[in-house]
Amino acid sequence: MKKLNKITVQLVILFSLILALTKLAQADDHIAAHRHLADPATLVYNGRVYLYASNDDDNSDDKESGYKMKSIVCISSSDMKNWTDHGVVFEAPRDATWANRTWAPSVIARNGKIYLYFGNGGSGIGVVTASSPTGPFKDPLGKKLIDNQTPGVLPAKNMWLFDPMAFLDDDGQAYLYIGGNGEDNMRVIKLNEDMISVNGQATSFHVPSFFEASWMHKRDGNYYFSYSSNPKAEMRIDYMMSKSPTTGFVYKGVIGAQPPNNNNNNHHGIFEYKGKWYHAYHNRVVAIKKGIPPVYKRNLAIEELNYNADGTIAQVIYTENGVTQIGSINPYQRNEAETMQDQNGIMTKNTDDGGMQISGMKNNNWIKIQGVDFGKKGAKSFNARVSGLSSGTSLEVRVGSLDGKQIAKLVTSGNEAVGLQIQSGKAGIIQGKQDLYLLVSGSDTSAAIDIDWWRFQQR
Ligand code: FUB
């Protein structure tokens, strides 16, 4: 009897473990998790939402790495589930010769231009500009926009001059919020219409337990200043409200407690997209899962944000599955392979024409595209621009799950031309809204498949 109980307990533990790992594989509390990304800035532009992040892949895997980020990565989505990897859009000193760090960006669009503000570590703020949200970003000043000499920045005790937040008010006045490491170290300064020069001197308001990660947003005439509290206050995301962007702020409480699987610095963004509000943040779930020191290897995640009737913010409850999908993916148009909801073992790189592709997929590596709507007629064939297929390695297309119905398969007999080629195959009967898996399978262990894009033809 005792032996039976022991076996039962072991089985329960095994099943719970399998369940937990399956859930993690499907979870959405780590987006674009083929990279390590942190400090999300948000931009809603031409119907898409863009997230800009400190590139934690610039940091090494060891626990002594330190924050060495010197590039900014951009990802974007039109449905809040499938994210497109646009790669590194700004890098120092390549694109700003005076800078050697690019921490915690803030991005804003004005007069047809995109402005990206960043911390050169904790020692000043730079600004770079582009005509597209995905760059290329160029340095218009050749020096910092804000440093210790900027009027109103000093005096301050142990100021961290970083974590910019650019905010454009409805009356056309823009502001930059900066600073960290002390309740009286938050600074706000007006930006001129050119967005690359300041007007007047920085002012301040007292922020309880202020540590870093300033954010400003406005809703229904209320200004919300939110931030990461200090370690003593558990590095929560707290907020204050006012009827003015620069004064009169009153502490209102907690937007989000320390996120699960983070246990360290916290940094968030808030934005409205297609009628809903969202809270982007970072955690350390992927590094924890990989078993590497998590401090300098963060990942982005997202939750919906809700308001109470009086305009205060309902505290976010962090979940694994994050947000619901808005709309669906159209399989009958070209879909970039670097747009996905989840993946296993993939990397991305630039194509020769400046776009992006998935690269070096090995056997059992896959991407998942959520909510692909095949409609009533369904598909008759599938094609993709790929390289690296052989008689021993194929690209399978499955629906529902990794071992779900196989609806297409690309394979070549070998000797195919080197480089990306459009390959076609028949598609089995498939209709309605489905999750799609593109999976590399076969016996060739040296396989390294690249995928640029995929699409189906309608029946
Ligand atoms: O990513 C480097 C620093 O960590 C940011 O500037 C802070 O906000 C914290 O997230």
Side-chain angles (χ1 to χ4, degrees):
M1 186 66 181
K2 259 192 179 163
K3 201 172 170 194
L4 200 67
N5 279 345
K6 209 173 156 195
I7 293 171
T8 315
V9 169
Q10 282 171 342
L11 279 175
V12 168
I13 293 172
L14 186 69
F15 282 127
S16 315
L17 203 66
I18 292 170
L19 196 69
L21 288 174
T22 316
K23 271 173 108 187
L24 192 57
Q26 300 297 318
D28 213 21
D29 57 356
H30 48 288
I31 55 179
H34 55 293
R35 294 179 177 273
H36 288 289
L37 303 173
D39 304 327
T42 75
L43 173 73
V44 176
Y45 191 78
N46 280 350
R48 290 186 78 77
V49 57
Y50 294 83
L51 300 185
Y52 298 82
S54 302
N55 187 3
D56 275 10
D57 284 326
D58 291 340
N59 305 328
S60 59
D61 268 9
D62 62 274
K63 62 178 191 295
E64 308 301 332
S65 163
Y67 291 114
K68 304 257 167 59
M69 302 85 73
K70 55 173 189 59
S71 60
I72 300 290
V73 169
C74 176
I75 61 173
S76 76
S77 179
S78 61
D79 67 4
M80 299 303 295
K81 275 296 189 191
N82 296 294
W83 290 88
T84 304
D85 181 344
H86 299 287
V88 167
V89 294
F90 168 55
E91 186 178 326
R94 185 191 71 186
D95 306 324
T97 50
W98 58 269
N100 57 16
R101 292 285 180 269
T102 61
W103 289 8
S106 173
V107 181
I108 197 165
R110 187 169 197 182
N111 298 331
K113 264 193 175 173
I114 315 293
Y115 299 85
L116 184 155
Y117 303 83
F118 63 97
N120 184 39
S123 70
I125 310 293
V127 57
V128 287
T129 68
S131 52
S132 144
T134 54
F137 284 91
K138 299 284 170 222
D139 175 17
L141 298 177
K143 60 176 185 171
K144 292 174 189 170
L145 169 67
I146 310 267
D147 61 18
N148 282 338
Q149 271 67 57
T150 304
V153 165
L154 297 181
K157 200 175 160 203
N158 302 326
M159 169 66 97
W160 292 341
L161 199 50
F162 73 164
D163 285 5
M165 169 65 207
F167 168 71
L168 180 58
D169 207 349
D170 304 328
D171 63 3
Q173 179 61 59
Y175 301 87
L176 198 64
Y177 299 78
I178 46 178
N181 198 29
E183 295 192 323
D184 295 306
N185 281 4
M186 201 289 301
R187 299 285 181 275
V188 49
I189 193 161
K190 283 182 177 169
L191 288 166
N192 289 317
E193 200 180 335
D194 66 8
M195 302 296 276
I196 58 167
S197 61
V198 295
N199 177 6
Q201 70 167 46
T203 59
S204 182
F205 51 87
H206 183 82
V207 182
S209 307
F210 181 60
F211 196 47
E212 55 191 9
S214 297
W215 192 268
M216 170 60 66
H217 76 279
K218 188 180 185 182
R219 177 182 176 268
D220 292 346
N222 290 314
Y223 295 85
Y224 298 81
F225 177 79
S226 48
Y227 57 97
S228 167
S229 65
N230 57 31
K232 204 172 155 202
E234 296 170 356
M235 293 183 273
R236 302 177 304 246
I237 300 299
D238 284 8
Y239 77 108
M240 306 173 81
M241 286 174 71
S242 175
K243 289 286 178 193
S244 149
T246 54
T247 58
F249 280 90
V250 175
Y251 180 79
K252 290 288 177 181
V254 179
I255 292 180
Q258 174 67 212
N261 296 303
N262 190 48
N263 196 28
N264 208 304
N265 62 27
N266 197 353
H267 197 117
H268 73 303
I270 292 174
F271 62 99
E272 187 182 16
Y273 181 60
K274 295 186 177 170
K276 278 188 176 178
W277 285 86
Y278 295 93
H279 163 69
Y281 65 101
H282 69 222
N283 60 32
R284 288 161 165 93
V285 64
V286 176
I288 291 169
K289 186 184 156 200
K290 281 185 193 164
I292 58 171
V295 180
Y296 305 107
K297 293 288 183 185
R298 298 163 289 180
N299 276 90
L300 300 183
I302 205 149
E303 286 288 351
E304 287 178 17
L305 185 82
N306 294 298
Y307 296 84
N308 302 311
D310 63 357
T312 55
I313 295 175
Q315 185 172 333
V316 170
I317 308 295
Y318 293 104
T319 64
E320 284 181 3
N321 201 27
V323 300
T324 45
Q325 185 169 18
I326 304 171
S328 55
I329 297 280
N330 176 359
Y332 306 119
Q333 66 184 23
R334 169 175 161 159
N335 284 287
E336 299 304 320
E338 66 276 11
T339 300
M340 69 203 101
Q341 186 268 330
D342 204 355
Q343 54 77 42
N344 173 42
I346 66 115
M347 293 178 293
T348 54
K349 69 174 188 192
N350 284 103
T351 50
D352 290 344
D353 58 7
M356 292 292 286
Q357 66 181 54
I358 286 183
S359 81
M361 281 175 93
K362 307 241 179 287
N363 283 342
N364 298 322
N365 289 170
W366 50 265
I367 57 169
K368 174 188 169 193
I369 305 101
Q370 181 166 328
V372 180
D373 193 353
F374 287 89
K376 284 204 175 98
K377 282 191 188 157
K380 63 177 181 197
S381 60
F382 171 78
N383 53 36
R385 188 165 183 251
V386 288
S387 72
L389 293 177
S390 67
S391 50
T393 300
S394 60
L395 182 67
E396 293 182 18
V397 185
R398 292 182 177 268
V399 288
S401 67
L402 278 171
D403 52 9
K405 183 180 169 192
Q406 180 186 294
I407 55 158
K409 184 172 179 174
L410 297 184
V411 64
T412 69
S413 52
N415 304 325
E416 76 276 18
V418 177
L420 290 161
Q421 303 284 323
I422 300 174
Q423 310 271 3
S424 304
K426 270 195 193 155
I429 293 171
I430 181 74
Q431 293 168 316
K433 204 167 171 179
Q434 308 281 350
D435 293 344
L436 216 60
Y437 289 80
L438 270 53
L439 165 75
V440 173
S441 74
S443 54
D444 183 354
T445 48
S446 63
I449 310 294
D450 293 354
I451 316 177
D452 185 11
W453 53 260
W454 61 269
R455 76 184 297 168
F456 285 82
Q457 278 72 41
Q458 204 160 9
R459 207 167 271 279

